[in-house]
């Protein structure tokens, strides 16, 4: 995570965020109307997913997050919630299962529903927490 950061904009999905400079981004369809991007850099996977159109309920987005990450719902912890930066509402979450840690958020904006997360190890997360906070605070819905 020592490298610089750049803004990655996904206008088709309605969001932008910082990603490490060397992140290789690919688009992916996740099924059931969800699509977005996946990128990897130095042991960190960035996942930005949107379902455009009518907003999903929180429990539906949460269940989708469990499916995408494979981390059971009982291991997800909400650490913040609110609105702003394009979000009608959002929840900031952290989930851990063994050697995998998820950090990010989900919610609803004017164009649809979103799940924007990083997947890494607890060791990398703890060592670079300021970078992960910088990433999270950069997320904007358009």
């Amino acid at each position: 995570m020592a490298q610089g950061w750049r803004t990655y904009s996904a206008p088709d999905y309605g969001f932008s965020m910082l990603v490490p400079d060397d992140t290789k981004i690919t688009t992916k369809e996740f099924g059931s109307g969800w699509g977005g991007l996946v990128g990897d850099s130095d042991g960190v996977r960035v996942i930005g997913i949107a379902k455009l159109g009518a907003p999903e309920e929180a429990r539906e987005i949460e269940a989708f997050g469990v499916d995408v990450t494979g981390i059971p719902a009982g291991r997800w912890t909400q650490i913040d919630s609110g609105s702003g930066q394009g979000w009608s509402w959002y929840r900031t979450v952290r989930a851990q299962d063994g050697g995998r840690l998820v950090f990010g958020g989900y919610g609803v904006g004017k164009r649809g529903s979103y799940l924007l997360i990083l997947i890494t190890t607890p060791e990398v997360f703890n060592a670079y927490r300021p970078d992960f906070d910088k990433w999270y605070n950069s997320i904007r819905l358009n």
Side-chain angles (χ1 to χ4, degrees):
M1 302 301 297
Q3 71 273 7
W5 293 77
R6 65 181 165 92
T7 299
Y8 183 86
S9 181
D12 290 345
Y13 296 108
F15 65 86
S16 64
M17 64 183 150
L18 291 175
V19 297
D21 281 335
D22 67 344
T23 304
K24 306 290 188 256
I25 303 287
T26 59
T27 58
K28 181 176 179 179
E29 293 300 317
F30 291 84
S32 300
W34 290 94
L37 60 92
V38 176
D40 292 291
S41 174
D42 292 331
V44 177
R45 174 161 273 201
V46 178
I47 300 176
I49 310 170
K51 185 173 187 180
L52 303 179
E56 297 284 317
E57 296 291 325
R59 70 182 176 282
E60 294 166 328
I61 304 171
E62 292 164 5
F64 179 69
V66 168
D67 288 344
V68 167
T69 65
I71 296 180
R75 297 194 179 267
W76 289 65
T77 302
Q78 180 178 317
I79 54 179
D80 193 17
S81 64
S83 61
Q85 299 178 338
W87 297 96
S88 300
W89 64 264
Y90 68 84
R91 293 186 180 158
T92 308
V93 294
R94 179 178 170 164
Q96 187 173 337
D97 189 24
R100 291 183 309 134
L101 184 139
V102 170
F103 174 68
Y106 65 88
V108 170
K110 67 181 178 182
R111 291 187 60 193
S113 304
Y114 296 87
L115 174 69
L116 301 152
I117 56 175
L118 297 175
I119 302 175
T120 190
T121 66
E123 296 79 18
V124 169
F125 181 78
N126 291 330
Y128 298 101
R129 178 65 191 260
D131 287 332
F132 294 125
D133 288 339
K134 179 180 176 180
W135 164 79
Y136 186 75
N137 289 322
S138 77
I139 296 170
R140 301 288 183 274
L141 301 184
N142 319 12

